[in-house]
Amino acid sequence: MRLSYASCLLRLFIATSFSTRVRALPKLKESIQLPHGWVKVSPAPAGHVIDLRIGLPQSNFPLLEKHLYEVSDPYHERYGQHLSKTDVEALVAPHPESVSAVDAWLEEHGISAENTVRSSAGDWISVKVPVRLAETMLNTVCVHVLHVLHLLMTVRKTYHVWEHIASGSQLVRTTSYSLPEHIYTHVDVVQPTTLFALWKGLKATLYYEDIIEELPVVDSLSKENLASGAVVDPSCNATVTLSCLKQLYNIGNYTPQATKDNAIGITGYLEQFVNDADLQLFYQDQLPQAVNSSYTFHSVKGGLNNQTITDAGIEANLDAQFAFGLSYPTPGTFWSTAGRPPFKPDINLEENTNEPYAEDKSLIESQWIEYVLAQKKLPQSISTSYGDYEQTVPESYARRTCEGFAQLGARGISVLFSSGDGGVGDGNPNPVTQTCLTNDGRNATRFVPIFPAACPYVTSVGGTNNVPEIAVFFSGGGFSNYFPRPKYQDKAVKGFFDKFPENTYKDLFNRSASERPSMLLSFSAASVQSYSYMDARQAIPDVAALGRRFRIFWQGKAISIGGTSASAPTFAAVVALLNDDRLSKKKSPLGFLNPLLYTKGLSGFNDITEGNNPGCGTQGFNATVGWDPGDRACPDGFLN
């Protein structure tokens, strides 16, 4: 039965009149404007089952962050003294009072502790519930938005089926939810509620090979990279192979020694499978000594690795072939997390016994984080080539996801993400046809960074092109709208702004402390606080590597491919080799890279000073001397 506006008011009146029976009125936790490009299809079927994930406040995250920066700072006496899994979990475990309050709340709705799944640290609780119960628990039927003379004005916000116009993907979501006041402070975030992200690969397609690059391509096919003196075969300007990368980045004939202690990992989503036959063809073509070698496969939430040749994943193949090939014989790991695009909930089936949430791809990143954080031993260098526009992810959820990456960094894991393949947004320099529109209801033009690349606890990897290297036109770069700029970036980014004309791209990105964002996606206590005193934002990318014309094997054939999804596994492989060198000398792995990259590590990089990254109706940012969003230095000579 649907509730009218008047009946909502009546329920609230009864609740306030009989306080002995109702603990407290619901309190708004989060409300968003519908993200651009989505339309409402229908009310969600009451019996549709969703896997509700409840994030409890982490008891001492500021202290964890302090530890993270100390063990990652090459000038600090604790550098390299990473925390154990037990140490990290003790810092992020929720307060017992929060656990008790949330457990009691769940019991009130008939959910016992035995019917919940908890993260290793206990800071996430997952419960499978039908939509009808989720709407009751989260008060999505009657949501208050305004207090007037102590009376509660209400609007009706229920779960609906929403469709993404461009892709046809459908999600079951609400645009607002509330919590009982007595548990409000004991819960950070609940999803799936307001999360409309559609994680996608960045961007392993043949697309870039069919476009004439607008930037001037370096005509010279010199055998010498002028910055480092490395001798590079001229053919590398047409086809990038393992040999090209070893030449360009001074890897040479380095052979890993610490293969019992070191490892590299890649993530797979959206039914992207690493095809073993293609991997062997790649090895035969470029690395004969690796033929018949394999990798370790881990399934997350039922993720598969189908070996049917027609199901070979172009993204997964790229990641595996270059990450595992460049770091060989370092052991490789591939995680496959379940989630299939497009998600089509069965709106005609009242009781969905097939657990349709297994098809919901919006939460796949956090599912992977929860899985790996529960493991005692992990690869020390991990690459991910997936993400989505930051503004499609509610800030509260983005922050909790980002804090998961901080936990990995504190444990000595280097986490790398592709910076995106749309330049400053959509990759379109035409102001008439660009599609970089805000989610605040105004549809204003604004640069669109990628998440999780915008998280300050990961290393975002941009892309380059040619030898000598220039910024490739699709390389994602810019500034976060959520995350403050960390101290490790201050000097580099300040140097960029000292040379950047003050009014250039005014209102298109967050530049300084005096600017308030025009893209306030969600209303919540956290977002209001974070935007009250606006400071400079996290800058993207942190580093860059070649990202075009990679020769891989896919469905039995050699093809050429490009995207920052080529750059990220390449850089991750370089990090794995550096870790190998350190571990073989009884040193710790590099762990969270960024504090090192912006200080002592600078001497191991080649500065990219040509090219730009157009998008959002602009030419984007130019690559210049020093850090810039157009691209970032590459690891020429890094191994030295």
Side-chain angles (χ1 to χ4, degrees):
M1 180 179 67
R2 296 185 177 182
L3 295 173
S4 67
Y5 177 83
S7 61
C8 281
L9 286 177
L10 178 61
R11 287 182 65 192
L12 291 166
F13 173 77
I14 294 172
T16 55
S17 300
F18 298 96
S19 57
T20 57
R21 297 180 60 186
V22 180
R23 279 181 149 180
L25 291 172
K27 186 176 181 181
L28 181 65
K29 190 66 175 179
E30 189 163 54
S31 180
I32 67 165
Q33 293 281 349
L34 179 66
H36 180 73
W38 290 85
V39 294
K40 184 186 296 184
V41 176
S42 65
H48 174 84
V49 176
I50 56 178
D51 195 343
L52 212 58
R53 303 187 75 243
I54 304 163
L56 280 61
Q58 296 171 337
S59 58
N60 215 340
F61 182 80
L63 182 56
L64 172 73
E65 185 182 48
K66 180 176 182 292
H67 285 302
L68 171 67
Y69 283 126
E70 288 181 354
V71 301
S72 306
D73 180 358
Y75 295 101
H76 199 280
E77 62 183 4
R78 292 186 60 206
Y79 180 66
Q81 299 176 24
H82 301 117
L83 279 62
S84 68
K85 174 178 179 289
T86 302
D87 294 335
V88 169
E89 289 178 350
L91 291 169
V92 300
H95 193 281
E97 183 181 349
S98 295
V99 177
S100 297
V102 173
D103 282 349
W105 172 58
L106 294 175
E107 287 279 0
E108 291 173 5
H109 293 282
I111 303 170
S112 64
E114 292 75 20
N115 293 322
T116 66
V117 177
R118 304 186 185 233
S119 64
S120 185
D123 55 333
W124 283 98
I125 299 176
S126 298
V127 293
K128 284 183 167 60
V129 297
V131 163
R132 68 169 72 88
L133 180 55
E135 289 182 336
T136 300
M137 293 172 63
L138 302 177
N139 298 283
T140 62
V141 175
C142 293
V143 179
H144 73 278
V145 295
L146 179 66
H147 285 280
V148 179
L149 297 178
H150 302 290
L151 294 177
L152 208 55
M153 302 301 294
T154 67
V155 293
R156 187 174 187 273
K157 298 282 187 178
T158 62
Y159 272 91
H160 280 80
V161 176
W162 304 85
E163 181 167 312
H164 187 244
I165 299 172
S167 68
S169 294
Q170 292 185 350
L171 296 174
V172 171
R173 294 292 186 268
T174 180
T175 56
S176 181
Y177 72 95
S178 300
L179 293 170
E181 192 162 9
H182 67 281
I183 70 158
Y184 188 89
T185 59
H186 297 296
V187 173
D188 271 349
V189 61
V190 181
Q191 292 292 351
T193 51
T194 56
L195 175 64
F196 282 78
L198 293 176
W199 306 113
K200 51 184 177 286
L202 302 170
K203 179 174 213 174
T205 71
L206 301 177
Y207 172 74
Y208 295 118
E209 307 315 314
D210 300 327
I211 284 185
I212 298 175
E213 189 172 355
E214 296 180 4
L215 303 173
V217 176
V218 179
D219 294 326
S220 170
L221 295 181
S222 170
K223 286 190 176 182
E224 183 172 301
N225 183 303
L226 300 178
S228 66
V231 177
V232 181
D233 192 292
S235 66
C236 296
N237 270 300
T239 301
V240 175
T241 63
L242 294 177
S243 177
C244 292
L245 297 175
K246 289 179 178 181
Q247 294 170 38
L248 181 61
Y249 298 140
N250 281 318
I251 296 171
N253 295 319
Y254 179 84
T255 301
Q257 306 293 318
T259 55
K260 292 184 178 180
D261 302 313
N262 191 34
I264 185 171
I266 60 171
T267 62
Y269 303 102
L270 313 182
E271 295 196 336
Q272 280 283 322
F273 308 134
V274 174
N275 186 268
D276 296 344
D278 283 339
L279 181 61
Q280 295 306 313
L281 288 174
F282 175 82
Y283 285 155
Q284 291 173 25
D285 181 62
Q286 298 190 32
L287 195 67
Q289 62 269 37
V291 171
N292 294 325
S293 66
S294 189
Y295 55 89
T296 300
F297 170 70
H298 290 286
S299 171
V300 181
K301 295 286 186 178
L304 305 175
N305 195 27
N306 193 327
Q307 291 302 301
T308 304
I309 193 65
T310 55
D311 287 332
I314 194 169
E315 172 67 64
N317 275 10
L318 167 62
D319 290 351
Q321 289 170 23
F322 274 87
F324 300 161
L326 191 57
S327 63
Y328 179 83
T330 302
T333 292
F334 172 56
W335 294 278
S336 176
T337 304
R340 177 186 307 163
F343 170 50
K344 296 283 188 179
D346 188 345
I347 60 176
N348 297 313
L349 188 60
E350 174 67 11
E351 294 296 339
N352 196 327
T353 59
N354 294 320
E355 298 182 6
Y357 174 70
E359 308 294 325
D360 187 339
K361 60 181 178 175
S362 285
L363 299 173
I364 53 179
E365 190 62 59
S366 62
Q367 291 175 336
W368 175 81
I369 296 172
E370 186 174 316
Y371 176 87
V372 295
L373 284 173
Q375 312 306 310
K376 291 183 178 181
K377 187 175 182 180
L378 293 169
Q380 294 90 338
S381 178
I382 299 175
S383 175
T384 297
S385 300
Y386 300 81
D388 205 345
Y389 293 141
E390 184 185 60
Q391 67 170 351
T392 67
V393 184
E395 184 185 359
S396 60
Y397 185 72
R399 289 185 180 279
R400 278 302 297 260
T401 301
C402 188
E403 289 168 0
F405 298 128
Q407 295 177 52
L408 289 174
R411 290 175 56 178
I413 312 300
S414 301
V415 183
L416 300 99
F417 276 87
S418 302
S419 69
D421 293 305
V424 293
D426 62 355
N428 183 3
N430 189 327
V432 177
T433 57
Q434 64 85 22
T435 58
C436 299
L437 304 177
T438 60
N439 280 347
D440 57 3
R442 299 182 303 114
N443 287 338
T445 299
R446 194 171 177 89
F447 293 165
V448 189
I450 293 291
F451 180 83
C455 168
Y457 309 125
V458 307
T459 299
S460 58
V461 185
T464 64
N465 192 21
N466 300 327
V467 180
E469 290 171 275
I470 63 174
V472 70
F473 61 93
F474 54 73
S475 184
F479 300 88
S480 172
N481 288 291
Y482 290 167
F483 299 101
R485 188 173 74 212
K487 289 184 179 180
Y488 61 74
Q489 286 189 337
D490 279 346
K491 182 178 180 180
V493 179
K494 183 180 183 299
F496 168 76
F497 280 124
D498 285 345
K499 298 174 290 185
F500 192 73
E502 184 173 352
N503 291 319
T504 301
Y505 300 150
K506 182 176 174 59
D507 298 326
L508 291 182
F509 71 97
N510 285 321
R511 171 174 177 147
S512 67
S514 62
E515 181 184 358
R516 289 180 61 84
S518 62
M519 188 163 38
L520 184 59
L521 171 66
S522 62
F523 171 83
S524 67
S527 62
V528 171
Q529 181 179 12
S530 66
Y531 284 139
S532 295
Y533 299 96
M534 193 65 183
D535 55 353
R537 303 281 92 182
Q538 164 79 14
I540 310 159
D542 299 300
V543 293
L546 277 180
R548 197 175 181 204
R549 303 187 180 101
F550 276 51
R551 176 180 171 85
I552 72 164
F553 279 78
W554 179 56
Q555 297 186 354
K557 298 179 181 179
I559 62 171
S560 183
I561 204 169
T564 54
S565 55
S567 308
T570 294
F571 197 89
V574 173
V575 173
L577 294 176
L578 291 170
N579 282 335
D580 178 88
D581 181 67
R582 290 180 60 84
L583 290 167
S584 67
K585 298 173 181 176
K586 307 303 180 182
K587 296 181 180 180
S588 63
L590 291 171
F592 177 44
L593 297 170
N594 296 5
L596 169 68
L597 298 179
Y598 285 88
T599 53
K600 281 189 175 182
L602 280 175
S603 61
F605 285 85
N606 171 37
D607 194 9
I608 305 303
T609 59
E610 293 185 55
N612 64 314
N613 61 343
C616 304
T618 74
Q619 290 301 314
F621 295 103
N622 292 323
T624 61
V625 175
W627 182 90
D628 56 77
D631 222 324
R632 176 60 165 147
C634 297
D636 287 0
F638 201 11
L639 281 175
N640 294 330

